[in-house]
Amino acid sequence: MDETHNRTSLAKGAKDIAKEAKRHASKNLNKAVDRASDEYSTQRSYNRFQNEDEDESNYNNYSQQDGRYADNGANDDDDGASSDATEGHDDEDEIYEGEYQGVPAYNDGQPQDGQVALGQPVSDSLKSRKELENERQADEEELAQQYELIMQECGHGRFQWQLYFVLGLALMSDGVEVFVVGFVLPSAETDMCVPNSGAGWLGSIVYLGMMFGAFFWGGLSDKVGRKQCLLISLSVNGFFAFLSSFVQGYSMFLLCRMVSGFGIGGAVPIVFSYFAEVLAREKRGEHLSWLCMFWMIGGIYASAMAWAIIPHYGWSFSMGSAYQFHSWRVFVVVCALPCVSAVVALTFMPESPRFYLQSGKHDEAWMVLKHIHDTNMRARGEPERVFTVNRIKVPKQLDELVEMQNESANPVLKVLFKIKAELRGIWLTFMRCFNYPVKENTVKLAIVWFTLSFGYYGLSVWFPDVIKHLQADEYASRVKIHNNERIEDFTFNFTLENQIHRNSAFLNDRFIEMKFKAVTFIDSSFINCYFEDVSSVGSFFKNCTFVDTFFYNTDVDDTKLTNSRVINSSFHHNKTGCQMTFEDDYSAYWVYFVNFLGTLAVLPGNIVSALLMDKIGRLSMLGGSMVLSGISCFFLWFGTSESMMIFMLCLYNGLSISAWNSLDVVTTELYPTDRRGTGFGFCNAMCKLAAVLGNLIFGSLVGITKAIPILLASSVLVGGGLVGLRLPDTRANVLM
């Protein structure tokens, strides 16, 4: 009788303890709700997410407790032997794995091992794939609303500005890479004696590398994370950009620049995805536009460095006749510095918490969000503010079918299988960008990116080439022509520039330590002459005759002797390679200065777009900027002088930058988190493909006609702007 009484008392006491624990939990929950309500309005409160989780958890726990204690009454004899061993121990008292770091436990209402809760939903293994995807979609929508409120609690402060400058360096590296191509191209092709058939390949192959890099790194960032992919891609860019400054052969130089472009191709899609995921909705449009300024800063940096370094051909050294390190190579090294700085700074920044949540990593995301909150609160002088979020909705994770390899397999095969799996994952994610509801938006975005890039990069090539063509025409108009001259026993020790000598005779003349620049000898004869330490650029001997003439340490070779006869003459210690001399190269200074002005003209447009992005909307900025840019192209009919073309270049750049900024923001906001990097990478790949086509098409029309470039650029820009206006407005959207 006493034993039965003791058992009844024990069960009653356990029930009383459970009720008391539930009362305390409810009391603590009410306090949390009251505290959150004081800080936020009803619209900004995310307590409804917590309450749902708490109610579900309490219900499951209560059901488990009731079932357990009911069983105790019916199975006293079976459990009596083990009751003493387990007395005072409760599974819920076990310390959570991350509790020592302050991470709240998260079980999403799931029962503990060995327990079955009353009312527990059907197991995932019994659901169809469509049902699981629908549940995940609902979870993602719920997370998007909650995450927006969490970012509002974290605030906008020191952390966002730190990440802004770090990612700005990465975006600056992309801008530098684009401008390096144009600045290095003439010097590299001259230094490496590239024939006309190989000229222009550098610009196209770098853009091709960036095209594949944008698609690959953007897709990979949705699989392994924003920070990790950005670190690897920037490291690839920095290493091969630095290596390209030392290689001597043009083919190896092309390879290094292509791999360098492949690395930097991931910067734009990852940077904007990364930064958007730590911004609240009301800050997103403006601050993503401010981030775009670093691309302009990269262009200014490259233009200034080219202007200051490349024309100084004295900034070079050589190791024998086989290795030459000219000033343009110094410029390539200097342009790799922003990328190296970005890699170092990025190592101190955390991964995107939004990516963690999308990947089901609740604890890691919570710790990053708490770090953001605490960093901003300390900067505000409010270190006592507590991060009140204790549970975040995590979307249901759908396991993908992965073929497992034998653990004893060859390590090389394991690596190859891993690469194959990642590439397959990128491709599957890319194909999802063409599923409902983002399919239509993907097609429209690809069209807008292609048209804007085709017009921008095409005209960016056409403008400088037209200016150089005008300069060449003016230079040719000032050429000095000498006919039937006869010069005997004279020593030339000065520079001859922009001259044509026809039917001239040079007898017993000496050419010592002198330079020929754009000098052409036609049907002329050199008898018993002496050439020593002679350099020539753009100079040729056509149908000339050399008799008893001695050449020592000159760069006169077969490429400069066209249909000429050499009789009893000798060449000794000829200079190898193509010589880069003429420190007073006016055209180089002028081209760099023009690009510097064109890049600087972007500044007003950047400021205006940042201030108005959230006020007048992304689509109005995008469509209006592209249409105005297309209209401005018609004024090129009046560009008959260098000054007029420079003015038109600045006007076009200033009008088009708002379209670029708006397009970056819209693309970031239209794609959900699990496809944001992939979708942005695909659009950026279309941008680089358009850049290649623009270079080829517009470059071939320089000096031929104005009508085709003007009409082509205007039509694609206006057409792309009209398509952009058909995109959905994302100004009021949360980040899915």
Side-chain angles (χ1 to χ4, degrees):
M1 181 69 178
D2 292 339
E3 183 179 357
T4 303
H5 176 72
N6 290 337
R7 290 176 179 175
T8 305
S9 300
L10 180 61
K12 183 179 180 181
K15 291 181 179 180
D16 292 339
I17 292 174
K19 291 180 180 179
E20 185 68 17
K22 182 178 180 181
R23 186 177 66 82
H24 280 290
S26 177
K27 183 178 179 180
N28 293 334
L29 178 62
N30 292 334
K31 287 182 179 181
V33 172
D34 293 338
R35 181 169 63 251
S37 299
D38 293 338
E39 294 182 4
Y40 295 100
S41 62
T42 304
Q43 290 79 8
R44 297 179 62 184
S45 176
Y46 51 81
N47 285 304
R48 63 185 182 89
F49 300 103
Q50 299 176 1
N51 291 340
E52 293 173 1
D53 293 335
E54 292 290 345
D55 291 342
E56 184 181 357
S57 179
N58 290 337
Y59 173 76
N60 290 335
N61 293 335
Y62 185 70
S63 300
Q64 294 166 10
Q65 292 166 358
D66 288 347
R68 184 164 57 251
Y69 294 124
D71 289 342
N72 285 343
N75 302 295
D76 290 337
D77 296 337
D78 295 337
D79 297 341
S82 61
S83 62
D84 293 338
T86 60
E87 183 178 0
H89 175 75
D90 189 352
D91 290 339
E92 294 186 0
D93 291 336
E94 293 182 359
I95 297 177
Y96 168 59
E97 184 180 3
E99 187 173 342
Y100 72 97
Q101 293 178 324
V103 181
Y106 179 78
N107 58 13
D108 200 20
Q110 300 296 328
Q112 299 176 4
D113 294 340
Q115 300 176 351
V116 178
L118 297 178
Q120 182 69 20
V122 179
S123 173
D124 289 347
S125 61
L126 302 179
K127 297 179 181 179
S128 66
R129 180 77 179 185
K130 184 176 181 60
E131 290 176 329
L132 294 175
E133 290 177 351
N134 291 337
E135 290 183 12
R136 178 178 173 85
Q137 179 66 26
D139 291 344
E140 289 175 347
E141 293 175 358
E142 188 174 328
L143 171 61
Q145 298 292 336
Q146 186 185 9
Y147 190 80
E148 179 63 32
L149 299 175
I150 293 173
M151 292 312 304
Q152 291 176 7
E153 178 178 350
C154 292
H156 188 92
R158 174 178 294 175
F159 177 85
Q160 279 83 2
W161 285 111
Q162 289 174 347
L163 186 62
Y164 169 79
F165 286 106
V166 173
L167 296 180
L169 286 173
L171 192 60
M172 178 180 173
S173 303
D174 182 85
V176 169
E177 187 75 19
V178 171
F179 282 89
V180 163
V181 174
F183 294 151
V184 166
L185 187 60
S187 300
E189 291 177 344
T190 301
D191 186 23
M192 297 179 180
C193 302
V194 179
N196 292 333
S197 59
W201 265 104
L202 178 59
S204 299
I205 204 166
V206 170
Y207 283 127
L208 286 175
M210 296 174 75
M211 179 183 72
F212 289 106
F215 181 80
F216 175 78
W217 297 113
L220 193 63
S221 69
D222 287 333
K223 306 292 292 183
V224 302
R226 319 298 192 208
K227 174 187 173 181
Q228 184 175 353
C229 279
L230 188 58
L231 273 174
I232 298 174
S233 65
L234 290 177
S235 299
V236 170
N237 170 251
F239 176 78
F240 282 94
F242 183 79
L243 182 63
S244 68
S245 65
F246 293 95
V247 298
Q248 290 292 295
Y250 190 61
S251 58
M252 283 301 299
F253 182 76
L254 286 177
L255 177 63
C256 288
R257 295 312 301 186
M258 183 184 68
V259 180
S260 174
F262 175 79
I264 201 60
V268 173
I270 299 177
V271 161
F272 284 100
S273 300
Y274 194 169
F275 195 49
E277 291 169 355
V278 297
L279 295 173
R281 177 174 52 194
E282 63 269 14
K283 299 286 187 180
R284 193 176 303 129
E286 176 184 352
H287 287 272
L288 285 176
S289 298
W290 288 125
L291 183 64
C292 295
M293 293 189 66
F294 277 92
W295 199 91
M296 176 203 69
I297 295 173
I300 293 176
Y301 175 81
S303 302
M305 292 299 101
W307 192 13
I309 296 175
I310 294 180
H312 295 281
Y313 299 122
W315 295 14
S316 61
F317 66 89
S318 60
M319 298 174 62
S321 60
Y323 189 85
Q324 305 287 331
F325 197 91
H326 292 295
S327 57
W328 68 268
R329 298 181 183 272
V330 178
F331 167 71
V332 172
V333 173
V334 171
C335 285
L337 296 180
C339 181
V340 176
S341 303
V343 170
V344 174
L346 190 60
T347 57
F348 298 97
M349 303 306 296
E351 179 58 86
S352 164
R354 191 66 174 85
F355 170 78
Y356 274 149
L357 290 173
Q358 196 70 25
S359 303
K361 299 179 180 179
H362 173 274
D363 298 350
E364 292 88 339
W366 188 90
M367 294 180 67
V368 174
L369 290 170
K370 185 177 185 301
H371 170 69
I372 296 173
H373 174 274
D374 294 347
T375 301
N376 291 339
M377 292 305 110
R378 285 194 300 268
R380 291 182 183 179
E382 302 176 9
E384 71 282 356
R385 290 283 294 272
V386 178
F387 186 51
T388 61
V389 178
N390 57 16
R391 189 166 298 172
I392 310 173
K393 188 67 177 180
V394 174
K396 182 180 293 294
Q397 302 300 304
L398 304 181
D399 296 332
E400 296 182 359
L401 180 62
V402 179
E403 182 183 354
M404 300 303 295
Q405 292 288 89
N406 189 349
E407 293 184 359
S408 62
N410 191 314
V412 177
L413 295 179
K414 287 185 177 181
V415 173
L416 294 177
F417 175 77
K418 180 66 175 177
I419 295 174
K420 179 182 177 181
E422 292 295 342
L423 292 176
R424 182 174 180 270
I426 293 173
W427 178 255
L428 292 177
T429 305
F430 168 66
M431 296 306 296
R432 290 177 60 211
C433 292
F434 291 90
N435 293 342
Y436 179 83
V438 297
K439 176 181 179 180
E440 186 177 352
N441 295 335
T442 298
V443 175
K444 291 178 182 178
L445 283 172
I447 293 173
V448 177
W449 275 94
F450 186 90
T451 53
L452 180 59
S453 177
F454 184 81
Y456 178 82
Y457 286 102
L459 290 178
S460 296
V461 171
W462 191 68
F463 271 123
D465 283 348
V466 168
I467 293 175
K468 288 189 288 187
H469 185 72
L470 292 174
Q471 288 179 339
D473 289 343
E474 182 183 359
Y475 188 77
S477 66
R478 294 185 281 108
V479 64
K480 297 179 180 178
I481 301 177
H482 303 272
N483 294 315
N484 302 316
E485 60 182 345
R486 182 182 178 89
I487 302 176
E488 297 184 35
D489 299 319
F490 186 81
T491 299
F492 294 87
N493 55 5
F494 48 86
T495 299
L496 295 180
E497 180 179 357
N498 197 18
Q499 298 179 6
I500 296 178
H501 297 263
R502 284 196 179 96
N503 298 317
S504 300
F506 299 89
L507 305 176
N508 302 319
D509 293 325
R510 297 171 61 87
F511 300 85
I512 308 295
E513 295 182 356
M514 65 163 302
K515 302 171 183 177
F516 292 116
K517 183 178 180 181
V519 178
T520 303
F521 297 92
I522 302 175
D523 297 324
S524 300
S525 59
F526 297 83
I527 300 175
N528 198 25
C529 294
Y530 182 81
F531 291 79
E532 181 179 354
D533 292 330
V534 174
S535 299
S536 60
V537 174
S539 299
F540 300 94
F541 300 86
K542 299 180 179 180
N543 299 321
C544 295
T545 302
F546 297 88
V547 180
D548 296 328
T549 300
F550 186 84
F551 295 87
Y552 182 83
N553 194 29
T554 69
D555 61 353
V556 179
D557 54 20
D558 293 339
T559 61
K560 298 181 180 181
L561 301 177
T562 305
N563 296 326
S564 297
R565 294 184 302 164
V566 180
I567 302 173
N568 198 26
S569 300
S570 58
F571 296 83
H572 296 273
H573 299 286
N574 257 26
K575 296 179 181 180
T576 59
C578 298
Q579 305 302 312
M580 300 178 64
T581 56
F582 308 118
E583 300 174 5
D584 56 343
D585 193 346
Y586 168 78
S587 62
Y589 278 104
W590 186 244
V591 170
Y592 304 144
F593 180 68
V594 167
N595 279 276
F596 177 81
L597 290 179
T599 309
L600 194 62
V602 170
L603 179 60
N606 257 316
I607 296 175
V608 171
S609 63
L611 295 177
L612 300 181
M613 187 68 68
D614 291 318
K615 292 182 173 60
I616 68 175
R618 290 91 159 106
L619 301 186
S620 299
M621 296 281 293
L622 174 61
S625 177
M626 291 187 69
V627 171
L628 289 176
S629 299
I631 295 175
S632 69
C633 292
F634 285 103
F635 291 97
L636 294 174
W637 289 110
F638 307 101
T640 56
S641 64
E642 292 183 40
S643 58
M644 187 63 182
M645 293 301 297
I646 294 172
F647 171 77
M648 292 306 306
L649 172 65
C650 295
L651 177 63
Y652 174 77
N653 286 347
L655 291 174
S656 63
I657 191 60
S658 297
W660 284 109
N661 294 357
S662 305
L663 193 56
D664 290 331
V665 176
V666 170
T667 306
T668 302
E669 295 177 333
L670 276 179
Y671 285 104
T673 302
D674 61 343
R675 281 166 280 180
R676 183 167 298 118
T678 304
F680 206 128
F682 167 68
C683 292
N684 200 250
M686 295 299 295
C687 167
K688 297 305 184 289
L689 175 62
V692 173
L693 296 177
N695 275 315
L696 297 176
I697 295 175
F698 282 79
S700 63
L701 298 174
V702 175
I704 299 176
T705 177
K706 277 187 177 182
I708 296 178
I710 293 173
L711 294 176
L712 189 58
S714 299
S715 59
V716 297
L717 288 171
V718 173
L722 296 177
V723 173
L725 291 174
R726 304 288 296 176
L727 289 167
D729 190 4
T730 59
R731 184 170 25 169
N733 291 359
V734 295
L735 205 61
M736 287 295 295

